[in-house]
Amino acid sequence: MDLDHDAVVAFSKSWGLFYLIALALGVIVYTFWPSNRTRFDRAKHSILDRDDTPWK
């Protein structure tokens, strides 16, 4: 097997693409997982809970 620069570049581009696609799918699945809904809803509203009082 001849390993030249073009082969290494093609291999790294392909695996980098698969890695990024898998990472994006993992983030999407984590975001929309039903058990995480309450956590994200609480985070969405927690920043506005103490909006009318001054910071300490």
Side-chain angles (χ1 to χ4, degrees), residues 6-20:
D6 292 334
V8 172
V9 169
F11 179 77
S12 64
K13 283 183 178 179
S14 299
W15 282 104
L17 177 65
F18 291 134
Y19 171 76
L20 289 176

Side-chain angles (χ1 to χ4, degrees), residues 36-50:
N36 291 332
R37 182 179 181 93
T38 56
R39 179 182 305 161
F40 287 124
D41 283 342
R42 188 177 61 230
K44 182 173 70 177
H45 294 292
S46 68
I47 196 167
L48 300 174
D49 284 346
R50 296 183 214 151

Side-chain angles (χ1 to χ4, degrees), residues 4 12 27 29:
D4 59 347
S12 64
V27 168
V29 166

Side-chain angles (χ1 to χ4, degrees), residues 20-40:
L20 289 176
I21 289 171
L23 184 67
L25 289 175
V27 168
I28 289 170
V29 166
Y30 177 76
T31 302
F32 291 106
W33 198 260
S35 65
N36 291 332
R37 182 179 181 93
T38 56
R39 179 182 305 161
F40 287 124

